[in-house]
Amino acid sequence: MATTDTQEKFTRPFHHDSNRYWFGDRAPPPVNQVTVDDSAHWLAMGWSDLWAAPRVSLSYGAVFVVTAYLIFFGLSAVGMESLILPITAGFMLVGPLAAVGLYEVSRRHACAEDITLREAFATFFRRSDQLLVVGLTLMVMMLAWFMVALLIFASFYHSSPPSMDRFFSDILMAPQAPLFLLVGTVVGGVIAAAVFTLTAISVPMLVDRDVSAVHAMACSVRAVSRNWKVMIGWAAMIALVTGFGLATFFVGLAITLPLVGHATWHAYKSIIVNQ
């Protein structure tokens, strides 16, 4: 009998033990199969939510526009303008956490409830312990991106980053610039893909359900893995919309951040089955 039990322990499907490790006694929620048409619907619903509560959504986005300007002028004042580009890229890594209040706006809208800007930001404190775990994860990923970006730069240019007024002539016009941009894009894309896989579903799930951060991130990995073709396109759409907001010298973030945040909520509600 002991031999049989031992054999069963080592021959049972691995995913059973894996699910128990990540989800504990709580069964992982079913994941829906979605299509490209669904992702277009998420964006449309996000746009609808934005204008259902425009004062809150646009004010929420404006807070991050002001924050971006404070960072920009702060770095400029101390002669560290060259960090603006990697920090701007790093914003896309922490964007899912920045949109926590917008998920709550969409949740309240679905329940036909009003919400104030103060209540939207208070969402950060409601699940602060679990959001902190996700935040620390994203911070580690962002710091890894900064370190790798500096290492890549030093490998190609063997100097410290120049000021912004010389960046174009000294960096982008250099012979090694195409390869530098290619390597940086590939490495940054790998880190961004990992962040997206962990957070595409997890952060809105923490706003919506009483689950742990590990549980939510594991659900996100399952959701992205099952719908990887659609989610690649969805990630590209998020990057495109967010990039537009950043490219307008941050002003566009007042609209693009709320749009992406609300749309992400609807992606979560569409993919994860209610139980």
Side-chain angles (χ1 to χ4, degrees):
M1 178 66 68
T3 302
T4 302
D5 292 341
T6 301
Q7 290 175 342
E8 181 182 355
K9 176 181 178 181
F10 287 99
T11 58
R12 73 165 64 101
F14 171 75
H15 70 274
H16 288 171
D17 291 331
S18 177
N19 281 343
R20 185 172 181 81
Y21 176 80
W22 290 109
F23 299 100
D25 294 328
R26 186 194 297 265
V31 174
N32 285 325
Q33 196 83 39
V34 294
T35 66
V36 174
D37 290 340
D38 291 322
S39 63
H41 180 67
W42 305 336
L43 200 62
M45 292 298 292
W47 184 257
S48 176
D49 280 0
L50 194 163
W51 296 112
R55 180 179 299 179
V56 175
S57 295
L58 294 177
S59 298
Y60 192 100
V63 168
F64 287 91
V65 173
V66 173
T67 302
Y69 278 120
L70 291 176
I71 294 173
F72 176 84
F73 289 115
L75 291 174
S76 298
V78 296
M80 300 179 67
E81 303 98 325
S82 56
L83 293 180
I84 292 171
L85 290 179
I87 288 178
T88 299
F91 174 78
M92 292 194 178
L93 302 182
V94 299
L97 196 63
V100 162
L102 297 167
Y103 306 145
E104 178 67 5
V105 173
S106 288
R107 190 188 73 81
R108 295 278 194 97
H109 179 246
C111 298
E113 298 176 2
D114 294 329
I115 185 172
T116 65
L117 182 62
R118 181 177 180 178
E119 290 172 332
F121 277 104
T123 309
F124 285 95
F125 302 99
R126 196 179 75 219
R127 298 300 313 280
S128 59
D129 54 343
Q130 300 306 318
L131 289 173
L132 179 61
V133 174
V134 177
L136 290 174
T137 303
L138 295 180
M139 185 63 67
V140 169
M141 303 289 266
M142 189 167 69
L143 290 175
W145 160 243
F146 288 158
M147 293 176 63
V148 171
L150 290 174
L151 179 61
I152 293 173
F153 181 88
S155 299
F156 279 91
Y157 292 96
H158 310 290
S159 65
S160 59
S163 59
M164 287 300 292
D165 59 337
R166 292 170 42 216
F167 187 86
F168 183 81
S169 59
D170 292 3
I171 303 301
L172 298 184
M173 295 302 292
Q176 65 270 42
L179 185 58
F180 164 69
L181 294 174
L182 176 62
V183 173
T185 300
V186 170
V187 174
V190 170
I191 296 176
V195 169
F196 177 78
T197 301
L198 288 172
T199 61
I201 297 301
S202 62
V203 184
M205 176 177 279
L206 289 175
V207 173
D208 189 43
R209 305 186 185 199
D210 184 17
V211 297
S212 70
V214 173
H215 178 103
M217 286 189 286
C219 288
S220 187
V221 172
R222 291 180 69 245
V224 173
S225 298
R226 181 170 184 187
N227 296 283
W228 65 271
K229 291 182 180 180
V230 174
M231 297 307 280
I232 287 175
W234 180 240
M237 177 62 71
I238 291 176
L240 181 65
V241 173
T242 305
F244 174 79
L246 295 171
T248 56
F249 200 48
F250 310 125
V251 174
L253 284 177
I255 292 179
T256 59
L257 179 63
L259 174 60
V260 169
H262 293 313
T264 298
W265 170 263
H266 289 286
Y268 153 68
K269 296 299 285 184
S270 176
I271 294 173
I272 299 298
V273 178
N274 285 327
Q275 292 179 305

